[in-house]
């Protein structure tokens, strides 16, 4: 099984060839090709709504960079897309274990699976906000829900159908409509 037949992996490395190269190498080591978006530039028409507000432009640039990657994934027709930050460290066995994770993703009937995030503690089933929802059968994984205030998404996987939902929900004028 060639895992790349089933998924694509994406990151946004805003104007940083160094980070793009570093991330490309990290994924190459585990047998995956990384698609790198070089970032939505400040003169992109989708950012015009913010005028001279650099903070709003930066936030919208990040948002649209990830959304552009989701659109590219959707166009591939593949069932799974992985999306990550440009500084994430990759588990050495992720490439080998992805087929198992994808199978469990399907068994749980998920649209999105958080695979990497920021936390200062090990997530356990008994912790408030992290109930166990699925105990992996073929790999030593436990899948948990997470609280609304979980932050620091480093790596996530989505289904193709969820990519379509995201693209329909967050169109090219979404940031402008949400701007206050």
């Amino acid at each position: 099984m060639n895992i790349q037949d089933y998924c694509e992996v994406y990151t946004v490395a805003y104007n940083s060839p160094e980070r793009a190269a570093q991330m490309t190498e990290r994924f190459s080591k585990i047998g995956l090709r990384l698609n790198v978006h070089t970032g939505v530039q400040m003169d992109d028409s989708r950012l015009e709504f913010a005028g001279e507000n650099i903070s709003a432009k930066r936030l919208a640039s990040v948002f649209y960079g990830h959304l552009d990657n989701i659109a590219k994934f959707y166009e591939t027709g593949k069932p799974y897309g992985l999306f990550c930050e440009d500084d994430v460290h990759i588990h050495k066995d992720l490439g080998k274990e992805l087929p198992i994770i994808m199978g469990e993703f399907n068994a749980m009937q998920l649209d999105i699976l958080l695979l990497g995030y920021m936390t200062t503690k090990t997530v356990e089933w008994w912790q408030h906000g992290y109930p166990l929802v699925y105990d992996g059968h073929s790999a030593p994984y436990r899948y948990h829900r997470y609280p609304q205030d979980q932050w620091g998404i480093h790596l996530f996987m989505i289904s193709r159908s969820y990519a379509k939902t995201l693209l329909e929900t967050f169109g090219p004028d979404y940031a402008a409509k949400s701007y206050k």
Side-chain angles (χ1 to χ4, degrees):
M1 169 185 193
N2 180 358
I3 195 67
Q4 208 77 58
D5 291 340
Y6 297 91
C7 73
E8 288 292 331
V9 185
Y10 298 87
T11 194
V12 176
Y14 188 84
N15 294 342
S16 179
E18 298 83 16
R19 279 200 176 185
Q22 184 179 49
M23 291 303 298
T24 299
E25 182 181 337
R26 285 180 187 173
F27 277 95
S28 178
K29 285 181 180 178
I30 63 165
L32 293 170
R33 180 183 62 250
L34 179 66
N35 297 282
V36 179
H37 187 307
T38 57
V40 172
Q41 302 305 306
M42 292 300 134
D43 61 353
D44 188 289
S45 62
R46 295 173 291 182
L47 308 183
E48 288 177 1
F49 72 89
E52 297 301 313
N53 184 334
I54 298 302
S55 294
K57 280 188 168 187
R58 281 189 68 211
L59 184 60
S61 170
V62 171
F63 170 76
Y64 284 123
H66 289 293
L67 201 61
D68 288 352
N69 277 341
I70 291 169
K72 287 178 186 172
F73 156 62
Y74 184 74
E75 291 169 5
T76 69
K78 295 181 181 180
Y80 310 100
L82 281 82
F83 301 86
C84 67
E85 293 298 322
D86 67 355
D87 60 352
V88 68
H89 290 273
I90 308 302
H91 191 282
K92 65 181 173 139
D93 293 329
L94 179 63
K96 291 181 223 160
E97 294 177 355
L98 265 177
I100 296 165
I101 294 168
M102 290 172 180
E104 292 178 342
F105 181 92
N106 291 339
M108 291 182 282
Q109 300 178 334
L110 298 177
D111 292 317
I112 184 168
L113 178 63
L114 188 58
L115 294 168
Y117 50 90
M118 294 174 65
T119 184
T120 58
K121 60 185 182 271
T122 301
V123 174
E124 298 290 350
W125 65 268
W126 48 264
Q127 290 172 322
H128 178 71
Y130 297 93
L132 179 67
V133 293
Y134 191 83
D135 221 351
H137 298 293
S138 304
Y141 298 117
R142 298 181 122 189
Y143 298 89
H144 299 262
R145 296 262 184 249
Y146 51 90
Q148 290 293 322
D149 62 353
Q150 180 67 48
W151 59 280
I153 298 173
H154 282 152
L155 175 65
F156 65 94
M157 181 170 70
I158 62 173
S159 65
R160 186 167 186 277
S161 64
Y162 192 60
K164 181 179 181 187
T165 299
L166 292 172
L167 294 169
E168 289 171 349
T169 303
F170 303 107
D173 61 345
Y174 182 81
K177 286 181 181 177
S178 302
Y179 185 65
K180 294 180 182 182

